Amino acid sequence: MSKFRNIRRYHCFYSLGRAVQRHASWLVKVWKGIAHLLQFLHPKRYVRRIDWYIIKKFIGTYIFSIILIISIAIVFDINENLAKFTQYHAPLRAIIFDYYANFIPYFTNLFSALFVFIAVIFFTSKMAGNSEIIAILASGISFKRLLRPYMITCALITVVSFYLSAYVIPHGTIIRQNFEAMYKNKEKNTSADNVQLQVDRGVIAYMQHYDDNLKKGYGFCLDKFENKKLISHLTAMEIQYDTVSDTKYHWKISNWKIRRLQGLREHITSGAEKDTTIQIEPTDLVYSKGQQETLTSPQLKDYISKQVNRGSQNVVQYEVEYHKRIASSFASFILTIIGASLSAKKRKGGMGLYLGIGLGLSFIYIMLETISSTFAINAGAPPVLAAWVPNILFGLVAYFCYRKAPN
């Protein structure tokens, strides 16, 4: 029996060997195809030693500029707010971890494009002054190929910047704003009067007064319509939002009364307390300055969609914030092309002129961002266009500078 099993095993190996031999040419082609694909996708194909050299310089100068400028900003901020911190007895732990630990990422990401621009001009001018750019171009590398490490670094910075602005910084902004309201006496809107909004199609809610600190409203009514006819009218003396509920839109109404209209008949029910689901959240009732900065991008998208379905007009600043986060992240590519094109040529006088031009262009970019956002909020300009106008205009400048760059 064992001899039969051995013969059978050898026969299987023999059949497998014959199959491999029969399809050997096909297997070799497949193996060569995989090898070529791996070689094509290997990072060393795109990132050479000169690329690593420029990437390290770019990242190092970028981090150095952030540390330098943010350190200066912190010194000025401490000098300005030290009296308020002392007056309102702000604890040192809260100042460090609640305020400045969220102050630094917020302003670093806000002016990330400015830091990128300064870093590019600074180290590229230094390379041009040392004749490194001339040597690179003289070796047969084109200016387009020279920009590859710049673009790789920009892609890395863009991904990190967008992730921070879309998911991380909004949570820190909530903590920082709460600190400012408590220890800097910065006014924060925590109440609303005579709020009326469309909760759902044919459902209108009204609240006489709402206190966001207590998550409590007074003088509440909810009207439901079908075919433009009132079918239900709910009134409640008080309405309390359930903050510990696992689901959203969970409210508790007190001293309530419901009138249901059925033709000429009217059915009235009332009670002391009742748990109910109403598609309203506290963020729908109270708007405070900078509230859009406290929402992550998925939350912003949901909020905008919900408010548009309700017919609300107070969503422009949220739409501008949503599109500006994407547009600001891509600004690094445009400003990098401008900076590298301006500073790659060796000129007399050093890098002072380029740094001045770079700072000027950066501040023009920030000013255009502010102006376009204001036009969208106050003048009815499309939010997408308002967010991308600075990138479009500076993209044209970048193309012109790239065409005039040394080759």
Side-chain angles (χ1 to χ4, degrees):
M1 191 71 179
S2 60
K3 290 183 179 180
F4 178 74
R5 287 177 182 173
N6 290 334
I7 294 171
R8 192 172 182 182
R9 185 186 305 164
Y10 293 144
H11 178 72
C12 291
F13 284 128
Y14 176 76
S15 301
L16 180 63
R18 288 295 301 270
V20 170
Q21 187 179 6
R22 193 180 305 117
H23 301 288
S25 60
W26 181 79
L27 292 173
V28 169
K29 289 181 181 179
V30 171
W31 175 253
K32 286 184 178 179
I34 295 173
H36 283 302
L37 180 62
L38 293 175
Q39 187 179 4
F40 180 77
L41 296 176
H42 200 280
K44 286 187 177 180
R45 177 183 174 88
Y46 304 99
V47 184
R48 303 290 184 178
R49 184 175 296 180
I50 185 64
D51 299 319
W52 283 117
Y53 176 73
I54 295 175
I55 289 171
K56 289 176 183 178
K57 277 186 170 293
F58 195 161
I59 295 176
T61 312
Y62 174 72
I63 295 174
F64 175 77
S65 63
I66 288 175
I67 293 173
L68 180 64
I69 297 175
I70 291 297
S71 300
I72 296 171
I74 290 174
V75 170
F76 278 99
D77 190 78
I78 291 174
N79 184 52
E80 182 181 353
N81 296 312
L82 186 59
K84 290 184 179 180
F85 292 159
T86 307
Q87 179 183 355
Y88 294 101
H89 306 288
L92 181 62
R93 180 182 179 84
I95 294 173
I96 296 174
F97 294 102
D98 292 348
Y99 184 66
Y100 284 109
N102 297 301
F103 172 93
I104 293 172
Y106 175 79
F107 283 96
T108 298
N109 195 67
L110 182 65
F111 299 109
S112 177
L114 172 62
F115 298 141
V116 166
F117 201 26
I118 292 174
V120 168
I121 288 179
F122 186 83
F123 85 85
T124 307
S125 299
K126 192 171 182 180
M127 288 177 64
N130 295 334
S131 300
E132 294 179 64
I133 301 293
I134 296 174
I136 293 171
L137 297 177
S139 66
I141 296 177
S142 64
F143 185 73
K144 180 181 178 181
R145 172 62 181 83
L146 179 64
L147 288 178
R148 181 186 293 177
Y150 289 85
M151 296 298 102
I152 292 172
T153 312
C154 281
L156 176 63
I157 294 173
T158 297
V159 171
V160 174
S161 176
F162 177 75
Y163 179 76
L164 288 174
S165 63
Y167 298 98
V168 178
I169 292 177
H171 298 294
T173 303
I174 297 174
I175 299 172
R176 182 172 56 84
Q177 288 182 354
N178 291 334
F179 177 91
E180 290 175 346
M182 186 177 297
Y183 298 112
K184 291 179 65 177
N185 198 24
K186 203 167 185 178
E187 292 185 2
K188 186 178 180 181
N189 190 19
T190 58
S191 64
D193 294 312
N194 299 320
V195 180
Q196 184 174 5
L197 69 157
Q198 182 175 327
V199 177
D200 200 355
R201 182 172 295 178
V203 182
I204 307 297
Y206 172 80
M207 198 174 297
Q208 187 175 0
H209 178 77
Y210 175 75
D211 188 345
D212 193 52
N213 292 326
L214 302 175
K215 299 291 187 290
K216 194 172 188 179
Y218 306 90
F220 177 76
C221 68
L222 188 71
D223 296 329
K224 293 183 180 180
F225 295 86
E226 279 187 8
N227 299 323
K228 299 182 180 180
K229 292 183 180 180
L230 181 66
I231 62 169
S232 175
H233 177 71
L234 181 147
T235 58
M237 294 292 292
E238 295 180 356
I239 181 168
Q240 177 73 51
Y241 186 71
D242 191 351
T243 56
V244 297
S245 176
D246 295 333
T247 58
K248 297 192 298 183
Y249 313 127
H250 191 201
W251 295 84
K252 179 181 287 186
I253 55 177
S254 303
N255 299 323
W256 57 273
K257 182 189 291 185
I258 300 178
R259 297 171 55 199
R260 291 187 176 87
L261 305 175
Q262 299 174 351
L264 298 176
R265 294 183 179 182
E266 182 178 353
H267 181 68
I268 299 176
T269 55
S270 61
E273 286 188 351
K274 181 179 181 180
D275 291 333
T276 184
T277 300
I278 305 172
Q279 292 187 1
I280 305 175
E281 290 185 277
T283 53
D284 301 331
L285 301 171
V286 177
Y287 172 75
S288 57
K289 186 178 180 181
Q291 181 178 337
Q292 65 273 14
E293 297 176 357
T294 63
L295 301 176
T296 62
S297 289
Q299 290 173 342
L300 266 176
K301 190 174 181 180
D302 292 341
Y303 182 85
I304 292 167
S305 176
K306 183 171 63 176
Q307 294 301 318
V308 168
N309 292 333
R310 289 176 175 176
S312 176
Q313 302 296 323
N314 191 28
V315 294
V316 178
Q317 56 266 37
Y318 293 89
E319 291 177 327
V320 170
E321 176 68 21
Y322 179 80
H323 294 293
K324 190 167 71 173
R325 289 178 182 179
I326 303 173
S328 299
S329 301
F330 283 94
S332 301
F333 290 98
I334 298 170
L335 295 178
T336 295
I337 294 173
I338 296 174
S341 301
L342 287 175
S343 55
K345 191 173 182 180
K346 184 176 182 180
R347 293 186 177 92
K348 293 181 180 180
M351 66 182 72
L353 177 62
Y354 303 115
L355 285 175
I357 294 173
L359 288 172
L361 289 173
S362 299
F363 286 120
I364 291 172
Y365 180 86
I366 295 170
M367 184 182 68
L368 279 175
E369 267 192 332
T370 306
I371 292 173
S372 60
S373 300
T374 305
F375 267 102
I377 295 171
N378 298 324
V384 179
L385 182 62
W388 284 92
V389 156
N391 284 0
I392 294 171
L393 295 178
F394 271 73
L396 298 175
V397 175
Y399 178 76
F400 175 79
C401 293
Y402 174 75
R403 298 293 295 177
K404 296 294 182 180
N407 292 308

